[in-house]
Amino acid sequence: MLRSLVGSEMCIRDRYQRRVRGLFSQIMVKSRMEMVGVGSMYTVLLLLLLRRLKINWRWLVGAWHTLRVCLEQGTKRREVRVEEVESPDGERAIVWWQRQEEAPRESQDGVEDVAEAAHVWVILPGGMQSGDMPYMWHALDSGVLDKNPSHTRSTWCLFHNPGVVNTLRSRGIVGLTETCYLEHFIQQLLGRGCEVSLMGFSAGSMLAIAMAKQAEHAGLDVSHVVAIHGPDSIRLAFESHSRWWCRPDRFFSFVAMRTILKAGSPRFLPEDRGGGLHRHWMPWTQGWPWMRKYVEQVFGRPWEEIEGDLWSCADDMAQPLKIPVLRILSLNDPVISFEDCVDPLLFRNLDRVLVTPGGGHCAPFLDKELVFTAVSYTHLRAHETPEHLVCRLLLEKKKIGCDTCPVPEGSWIGLAQ
């Protein structure tokens, strides 16, 4: 009887062990299958990531160029003299003058006495921000403003429209291509016998081009204009941003709202003309739709009626400009997309367009020699005699067009290889 009990116990134990081994085998097989599935999933994700990197490689390189300038210039600052220039309507533009031992002296009417400086670079920062930006100091450190082919003494200043770094007195925001305040400042410089050149960055390049057109109508003797990495219209830039997955238009909306609140106009404007913005809760999260709606509210007109005069330079380039204009663009600009924000058909009406494969956003001075040559050429174009004009046209007639240029044949363009 004891033998039968032991035998039955051994049978039960063997059966239990076989069942445990079978269950363990099933678990191992299942785990192997899951491991294979996880590995396949990681492989697919890696391939998708590599494909996305390949598609956006040019954008990533441009973002690195921009970040590189920000890292290099992040802690660098220039000492400047801050001056207020009061306009006929009572608003005040803010000008930061170069401050050094030989810098121009201050005059009684609030504008620097630049009689000793024969040439003045008026620099226009981008968008609704001050000139205290890394790309601005990078341009100054590059020495491009010191290269003066006419061998005249040169200085520079940063011009800010009213409401950018100071408060407004009686009006709402100033349009990005509204030229009245810059025109008033240039008239004062020309009255002191100075030669004036303009250099605009990003959205400031739109103001520079618009001022070139306005200078023709007003009879202002502006020497030449350099427009760097700007769109044809701010609408094109923000509409492009609103289609990106990261929605950078929301960031720029936040910057615009912060500048508007610092300017103080929402506190004295009526509710139906942009007042009371400080009481709204984070309207900038809507991005471009909110910016457009707010601008229409402030000016009291639809966007289509005010875009050409206040927020775009496309109409100013619709006809050939008499003032030499150099426009510099980047194919890997991470902010201003060349494909979405630039119309190559307008290149034919500018003196010269330089399209570079690199440079990011507002960092074309990474290739100093290329930009120096283009800027020097434009400066010389502003001083060429009729004899020089004939020689230049004969030389350019012999040049062979570049098949890779993204513009129609016959346009004035230099494409960096």
Side-chain angles (χ1 to χ4, degrees), residues 187-203:
Q187 287 176 347
Q188 295 186 359
L189 292 180
L190 294 176
R192 288 166 174 74
C194 298
E195 178 187 356
V196 178
S197 299
L198 304 178
M199 177 176 289
F201 290 84
S202 191

Side-chain angles (χ1 to χ4, degrees), residues 40-254:
S40 301
M41 183 180 65
Y42 285 148
T43 303
V44 172
L45 291 177
L46 180 60
L47 292 176
L48 291 176
L49 178 61
L50 293 176
R51 179 175 179 271
R52 182 59 58 181
L53 289 175
K54 181 179 179 182
I55 294 175
N56 298 317
W57 180 251
R58 190 170 67 179
W59 185 92
L60 293 172
V61 174
W64 163 245
H65 289 166
T66 306
L67 179 62
R68 172 184 167 186
V69 172
C70 294
L71 293 176
E72 291 178 355
Q73 304 291 330
T75 59
K76 294 183 179 180
R77 292 294 182 270
R78 293 287 187 97
E79 291 188 1
V80 295
R81 288 187 55 117
V82 181
E83 299 292 336
E84 293 185 355
V85 181
E86 187 166 353
S87 301
D89 64 352
E91 298 294 346
R92 298 161 299 165
I94 302 298
V95 181
W96 293 355
W97 283 95
Q98 179 183 13
R99 187 170 184 173
Q100 53 185 15
E101 295 181 358
E102 65 273 13
R105 298 186 302 271
E106 183 181 358
S107 65
Q108 297 180 354
D109 57 359
V111 179
E112 293 278 349
D113 183 6
V114 290
E116 297 180 1
H119 180 262
V120 178
W121 278 104
V122 179
I123 305 177
L124 309 175
M128 301 184 69
Q129 299 186 45
S130 72
D132 188 12
M133 300 294 291
Y135 65 80
M136 195 68 62
W137 309 126
H138 178 64
L140 297 176
D141 288 344
S142 69
V144 66
L145 302 184
D146 302 329
K147 299 286 185 178
N148 196 338
S150 58
H151 304 290
T152 57
R153 185 176 177 274
S154 181
T155 187
W156 56 263
C157 64
L158 291 167
F159 177 85
H160 303 91
N161 267 324
V164 178
V165 295
N166 63 335
T167 57
L168 294 167
R169 294 182 174 181
S170 59
R171 61 163 294 171
I173 57 177
V174 179
L176 293 178
T177 56
E178 192 170 345
T179 59
C180 57
Y181 302 105
L182 179 58
E183 179 181 354
H184 176 70
F185 176 62
I186 292 177
Q187 287 176 347
Q188 295 186 359
L189 292 180
L190 294 176
R192 288 166 174 74
C194 298
E195 178 187 356
V196 178
S197 299
L198 304 178
M199 177 176 289
F201 290 84
S202 191
S205 70
M206 298 193 304
L207 178 59
I209 295 175
M211 191 64 241
K213 188 67 174 181
Q214 178 61 24
E216 296 179 5
H217 297 313
L220 300 179
D221 188 16
V222 175
S223 174
H224 61 289
V225 172
V226 179
I228 299 174
H229 295 181
D232 294 341
S233 168
I234 198 65
R235 173 182 57 83
L236 298 177
F238 287 146
E239 285 181 350
S240 174
H241 294 168
S242 64
R243 294 191 295 267
W244 296 5
W245 67 271
C246 55
R247 291 297 300 273
D249 60 312
R250 293 175 177 171
F251 168 76
F252 291 110
S253 297
F254 170 76

